[in-house]
Amino acid sequence: MSTIWVLGAGQLGAMLKQAATPLGLDVRPVDIETDEILPLDKNDIVTAEREEWPVTAATKQLATHDNFVNLSTFPQLADRLTQKQWLDKLELATSPWFPVEANSTAEQFHQALGDRVLLKRRRGGYDGKGQHWLIESSGTSAIPEDWHGHAIAEQGIPFDEEVSLVGVRGKNGETYFYPLTLNLHINGILYASIAPLERLKGLQRKAEAMLSKLMNALDYVGVMAMECFRVGDELLINELAPRVHNSGHWTQAGASSNQFENHIRAVAGLPLAPAVIKNQSMMLNLIGIPVNYDWLAISGLELYWYKKEVRVGRKVGHINMCAENYGQFINAIESLSALPEPYPQALNWLKANLPQSEKAK
Ligand code: AMP
């Protein structure tokens, strides 16, 4: 079996490697700053854990390999402008938007999009970075000077909640999906996820049809994530990620094959199958807080620590838990109650949204 190279050596690359190990597959995440000459074979496969990258010796080697799966998709989805154009072209619902052009004004945006307008940098924005709100009624409505030509303006959506769909498409075009995941973002950054949820089942087919349309149009192979706003019975696509995604981390605990394994299977041309979903799962991101190995004393808790330097707002790990009953979750949530702000909000959200009985799931 050939080697599967991953452009990027962050936590997603590490978890792709971890998932491929039991299959006996050789997955090698590559630090984009390495000077090493990579021993790439022509039959090897290249994938990525990030949607954009600077030109370095390593990325040049990888991006010129013939078997870089989805190579042409990355630039199209990494730029929010072309991503939005794809959604419009495929008539997939998304928050109304305009490009921020050289002569765009805040007044124009408010006239077209309303009081609350969110500017987003076209490139490089993640975890709420690269966002700027224009709120007409509070008089805070100026487009930052260097954002002209480099951003889009979106209508602020008063959504009911945020959900995401993680799907996988194989080389032969077959697709499989995990159940819709309910997500909590605080200040633009994902804190917690819950899946599956009975109350989201009614939206599953609609969400799958939306993501299928996209993956088919792009002839995409591997895992893709679609983040949406739920507004009543409607889904508006907020963002697409052509890679494994944080809101799919719960599948490590709660599915017979997780998103990382499915991505590897797909890019390697191995069989895919519907994942069997186990019980109830939750995921809590560890953001800007140090690891505490005492958490391992919590029954059912699965810890992933990324060995990154802890910085404010930085994702440094996550906790998964898959359990049968609400009491087990409550026990874990209460054991985590000493976590600092804004964790009380995230823990209360988990308590409020996890199904209270096995039947409710
Ligand atoms: P993004 O970087 O696009 O994934 O946005 C991060 C988070 O910001 C989302 O998960 C939402 O919580 C919030 N957000 C993004 N776009 C909008 C919008 N158009 N209206 C309201 N909230 C938004």
Side-chain angles (χ1 to χ4, degrees):
M1 193 35 116
S2 35
T3 298
I4 301 166
W5 300 86
V6 183
L7 189 156
Q11 68 266 23
L12 300 179
M15 292 188 279
L16 286 165
K17 183 176 171 63
Q18 181 205 13
T21 302
L23 305 184
L25 302 178
D26 183 21
V27 169
R28 295 197 205 171
V30 178
D31 178 348
I32 58 173
E33 297 303 340
T34 185
D35 299 328
E36 215 186 306
I37 305 293
L38 306 171
L40 291 170
D41 185 85
K42 71 173 181 8
N43 295 319
D44 285 351
I45 294 160
V46 181
T47 185
E49 61 149 24
R50 48 195 291 161
E51 51 268 63
E52 56 182 347
W53 48 83
V55 178
T56 64
T59 62
K60 262 195 238 164
Q61 288 181 72
L62 293 169
T64 50
H65 193 280
D66 286 343
N67 296 340
F68 194 148
V69 184
N70 305 318
L71 183 61
S72 62
T73 293
F74 290 105
Q76 301 185 61
L77 297 191
D79 182 339
R80 287 187 191 272
L81 182 95
T82 47
Q83 184 177 129
K84 284 286 201 186
Q85 286 169 339
W86 262 105
L87 295 175
D88 287 354
K89 184 171 140 192
L90 296 174
E91 297 180 338
L92 291 168
T94 183
S95 30
W97 68 284
F98 290 97
V100 179
E101 288 166 339
N103 55 357
S104 300
T105 63
E107 296 71 52
Q108 280 172 343
F109 291 143
H110 289 303
Q111 209 160 42
L113 299 170
D115 182 44
R116 290 165 51 80
V117 174
L118 183 55
L119 304 185
K120 295 181 177 177
R121 298 284 299 182
R122 283 172 56 178
R123 301 184 155 276
Y126 66 96
D127 291 348
K129 295 187 183 80
Q131 287 195 357
H132 181 89
W133 280 98
L134 304 179
I135 302 179
E136 193 174 31
S137 55
S138 69
T140 54
S141 209
I143 303 174
E145 200 41 56
D146 61 341
W147 285 42
H148 291 272
H150 301 288
I152 60 165
E154 266 186 33
Q155 186 171 74
I157 303 296
F159 51 79
D160 293 312
E161 55 193 10
E162 296 191 67
V163 300
S164 61
L165 185 71
V166 174
V168 61
R169 183 172 181 274
K171 287 194 167 155
N172 58 5
E174 64 187 326
T175 52
Y176 297 98
F177 299 90
Y178 293 102
L180 276 165
T181 302
L182 182 67
N183 298 314
L184 172 71
H185 291 82
I186 303 176
N187 299 326
I189 180 163
L190 180 68
Y191 266 77
S193 300
I194 299 174
L197 281 176
E198 180 68 31
R199 66 180 176 78
L200 295 178
K201 272 194 178 156
L203 291 169
Q204 183 76 24
R205 277 178 58 182
K206 183 185 291 193
E208 290 184 6
M210 291 164 86
L211 185 51
S212 294
K213 197 171 186 186
L214 250 153
M215 293 199 292
N216 291 337
L218 293 162
D219 196 18
Y220 185 81
V221 173
V223 164
M224 188 183 283
M226 176 177 85
E227 291 185 270
C228 296
F229 301 131
R230 181 180 73 75
V231 184
D233 290 337
E234 294 305 319
L235 291 177
L236 290 182
I237 299 178
N238 174 38
E239 198 176 30
L240 299 161
R243 54 173 170 77
V244 287
H245 190 256
N246 195 174
S247 69
H249 286 5
W250 65 267
T251 62
Q252 293 170 310
S256 57
S257 52
N258 67 43
Q259 62 162 348
F260 302 97
E261 180 179 330
N262 271 335
H263 184 72
I264 294 295
R265 287 199 209 186
V267 298
L270 294 171
L272 296 171
V276 175
I277 305 304
K278 307 170 192 174
N279 298 321
Q280 179 66 54
S281 292
M282 71 170 195
M283 190 277 317
L284 183 68
N285 268 335
L286 302 171
I287 297 166
I289 53 174
V291 68
N292 178 351
Y293 286 108
D294 290 344
W295 294 329
L296 297 179
I298 300 171
S299 170
L301 179 143
E302 300 176 22
L303 173 67
Y304 288 77
W305 182 252
Y306 308 154
K307 278 172 97 175
K308 287 175 158 175
E309 191 194 325
V310 177
R311 277 191 245 130
V312 175
R314 189 180 203 197
K315 283 181 195 162
V316 284
H318 69 276
I319 282 170
N320 280 335
M321 190 166 163
C322 177
E324 236 171 74
N325 65 62
Y326 189 63
Q328 288 172 277
F329 289 109
I330 293 303
N331 178 48
I333 290 167
E334 280 170 3
S335 304
L336 295 167
S337 62
L339 291 179
E341 290 296 336
Y343 279 94
Q345 184 187 342
L347 295 174
N348 283 336
W349 179 87
L350 285 168
K351 258 193 213 170
N353 285 285
L354 281 158
Q356 299 220 1
S357 72
E358 181 56 16
K359 250 179 137 184
K361 186 161 71 89

Short mmCIF file of all heavy atoms in Angstrom, two decimals, residues 6 38 67 100 132 136 143 156 167 187 229 244 254 256 260 273 276 301 304 325 336:
data_model
loop_
_atom_site.label_atom_id
_atom_site.label_comp_id
_atom_site.label_asym_id
_atom_site.label_seq_id
_atom_site.Cartn_x
_atom_site.Cartn_y
_atom_site.Cartn_z
N VAL A 6 0.04 13.90 4.28
CA VAL A 6 -0.94 14.93 4.67
C VAL A 6 -0.23 16.28 4.69
O VAL A 6 0.76 16.44 5.41
CB VAL A 6 -1.53 14.66 6.07
CG1 VAL A 6 -2.59 15.71 6.41
CG2 VAL A 6 -2.14 13.26 6.16
N LEU A 38 11.04 15.24 0.60
CA LEU A 38 10.11 14.15 0.92
C LEU A 38 10.30 13.00 -0.07
O LEU A 38 10.32 13.24 -1.29
CB LEU A 38 8.66 14.65 0.87
CG LEU A 38 8.36 15.88 1.74
CD1 LEU A 38 6.96 16.42 1.44
CD2 LEU A 38 8.49 15.53 3.22
N ASN A 67 -1.10 12.73 -7.56
CA ASN A 67 -2.21 12.13 -6.80
C ASN A 67 -2.65 12.98 -5.60
O ASN A 67 -3.01 12.46 -4.56
CB ASN A 67 -1.83 10.73 -6.30
CG ASN A 67 -1.60 9.78 -7.44
OD1 ASN A 67 -2.07 10.02 -8.56
ND2 ASN A 67 -0.86 8.71 -7.19
N VAL A 100 -16.91 42.85 -0.63
CA VAL A 100 -16.50 44.19 -0.17
C VAL A 100 -15.50 44.70 -1.20
O VAL A 100 -14.37 44.23 -1.26
CB VAL A 100 -15.87 44.13 1.24
CG1 VAL A 100 -15.44 45.52 1.68
CG2 VAL A 100 -16.85 43.53 2.25
N HIS A 132 -15.64 41.10 11.34
CA HIS A 132 -15.85 42.48 11.81
C HIS A 132 -17.33 42.83 11.64
O HIS A 132 -17.84 42.81 10.53
CB HIS A 132 -14.95 43.43 11.01
CG HIS A 132 -15.08 44.86 11.43
ND1 HIS A 132 -14.29 45.41 12.42
CD2 HIS A 132 -15.93 45.84 11.02
CE1 HIS A 132 -14.64 46.67 12.60
NE2 HIS A 132 -15.63 46.95 11.77
N GLU A 136 -25.42 49.13 12.42
CA GLU A 136 -25.84 50.50 12.11
C GLU A 136 -26.43 51.19 13.34
O GLU A 136 -26.07 52.31 13.66
CB GLU A 136 -26.87 50.45 10.97
CG GLU A 136 -27.13 51.79 10.35
CD GLU A 136 -28.04 51.66 9.13
OE1 GLU A 136 -28.89 50.75 9.10
OE2 GLU A 136 -27.90 52.49 8.22
N ILE A 143 -16.08 50.23 7.65
CA ILE A 143 -15.34 49.13 7.04
C ILE A 143 -13.85 49.39 7.28
O ILE A 143 -13.35 50.46 6.93
CB ILE A 143 -15.61 49.05 5.52
CG1 ILE A 143 -17.11 48.90 5.25
CG2 ILE A 143 -14.81 47.93 4.87
CD1 ILE A 143 -17.50 48.97 3.79
N GLY A 156 -26.27 39.52 9.02
CA GLY A 156 -26.27 38.87 10.33
C GLY A 156 -27.54 38.03 10.45
O GLY A 156 -28.64 38.55 10.26
N GLY A 167 -19.83 14.66 5.88
CA GLY A 167 -20.10 13.58 4.92
C GLY A 167 -18.82 13.12 4.27
O GLY A 167 -17.78 13.80 4.34
N ASN A 187 -18.18 33.48 20.71
CA ASN A 187 -17.27 34.42 20.03
C ASN A 187 -16.67 33.83 18.77
O ASN A 187 -15.47 33.97 18.51
CB ASN A 187 -16.13 34.85 20.97
CG ASN A 187 -16.67 35.55 22.20
OD1 ASN A 187 -17.68 36.25 22.10
ND2 ASN A 187 -16.03 35.36 23.34
N PHE A 229 -26.67 27.41 9.66
CA PHE A 229 -27.56 28.03 10.64
C PHE A 229 -28.92 27.38 10.45
O PHE A 229 -29.39 27.27 9.31
CB PHE A 229 -27.69 29.54 10.38
CG PHE A 229 -26.38 30.27 10.42
CD1 PHE A 229 -26.03 31.16 9.40
CD2 PHE A 229 -25.50 30.09 11.47
CE1 PHE A 229 -24.82 31.85 9.45
CE2 PHE A 229 -24.30 30.78 11.53
CZ PHE A 229 -23.95 31.65 10.51
N VAL A 244 -11.48 17.04 7.15
CA VAL A 244 -12.07 16.64 8.43
C VAL A 244 -12.27 17.90 9.27
O VAL A 244 -11.56 18.89 9.10
CB VAL A 244 -11.16 15.62 9.16
CG1 VAL A 244 -11.23 14.26 8.49
CG2 VAL A 244 -9.72 16.12 9.24
N GLY A 254 -18.17 8.04 19.02
CA GLY A 254 -19.56 7.66 18.83
C GLY A 254 -19.91 7.00 17.52
O GLY A 254 -21.10 6.89 17.19
N SER A 256 -18.80 3.78 14.45
CA SER A 256 -17.95 2.59 14.20
C SER A 256 -16.75 2.95 13.35
O SER A 256 -15.68 2.36 13.50
CB SER A 256 -18.78 1.51 13.51
OG SER A 256 -19.34 2.03 12.32
N PHE A 260 -12.02 10.62 10.53
CA PHE A 260 -10.62 10.57 10.09
C PHE A 260 -10.39 9.29 9.28
O PHE A 260 -9.78 9.31 8.22
CB PHE A 260 -9.69 10.64 11.30
CG PHE A 260 -9.90 11.89 12.11
CD1 PHE A 260 -10.70 11.89 13.25
CD2 PHE A 260 -9.34 13.09 11.71
CE1 PHE A 260 -10.92 13.04 13.98
CE2 PHE A 260 -9.55 14.25 12.43
CZ PHE A 260 -10.35 14.23 13.56
N ALA A 273 -18.47 2.51 4.13
CA ALA A 273 -19.70 1.86 4.59
C ALA A 273 -20.41 2.83 5.52
O ALA A 273 -19.77 3.71 6.09
CB ALA A 273 -19.37 0.57 5.33
N VAL A 276 -21.90 2.93 11.91
CA VAL A 276 -22.92 2.62 12.91
C VAL A 276 -22.72 3.60 14.07
O VAL A 276 -21.60 3.76 14.57
CB VAL A 276 -22.78 1.16 13.40
CG1 VAL A 276 -23.75 0.88 14.54
CG2 VAL A 276 -23.00 0.21 12.24
N LEU A 301 -14.85 9.49 29.94
CA LEU A 301 -14.24 10.64 29.26
C LEU A 301 -13.06 10.19 28.40
O LEU A 301 -12.24 9.37 28.83
CB LEU A 301 -13.81 11.65 30.32
CG LEU A 301 -13.11 12.92 29.86
CD1 LEU A 301 -13.54 14.09 30.72
CD2 LEU A 301 -11.60 12.77 29.87
N TYR A 304 -8.22 14.11 24.25
CA TYR A 304 -7.26 14.33 23.16
C TYR A 304 -6.53 15.63 23.47
O TYR A 304 -7.16 16.70 23.53
CB TYR A 304 -7.98 14.46 21.81
CG TYR A 304 -8.54 13.15 21.32
CD1 TYR A 304 -9.72 12.63 21.87
CD2 TYR A 304 -7.88 12.40 20.35
CE1 TYR A 304 -10.22 11.42 21.45
CE2 TYR A 304 -8.38 11.18 19.93
CZ TYR A 304 -9.54 10.70 20.48
OH TYR A 304 -10.04 9.50 20.07
N ASN A 325 -26.66 7.04 29.03
CA ASN A 325 -27.71 7.81 29.70
C ASN A 325 -27.24 9.16 30.20
O ASN A 325 -26.05 9.41 30.39
CB ASN A 325 -28.38 6.98 30.80
CG ASN A 325 -27.41 6.66 31.91
OD1 ASN A 325 -26.90 7.57 32.56
ND2 ASN A 325 -27.13 5.38 32.12
N LEU A 336 -16.44 18.76 35.60
CA LEU A 336 -15.68 19.77 34.85
C LEU A 336 -16.08 21.20 35.25
O LEU A 336 -15.67 22.17 34.64
CB LEU A 336 -15.90 19.59 33.34
CG LEU A 336 -15.37 18.28 32.74
CD1 LEU A 336 -15.92 18.06 31.32
CD2 LEU A 336 -13.84 18.28 32.71
#
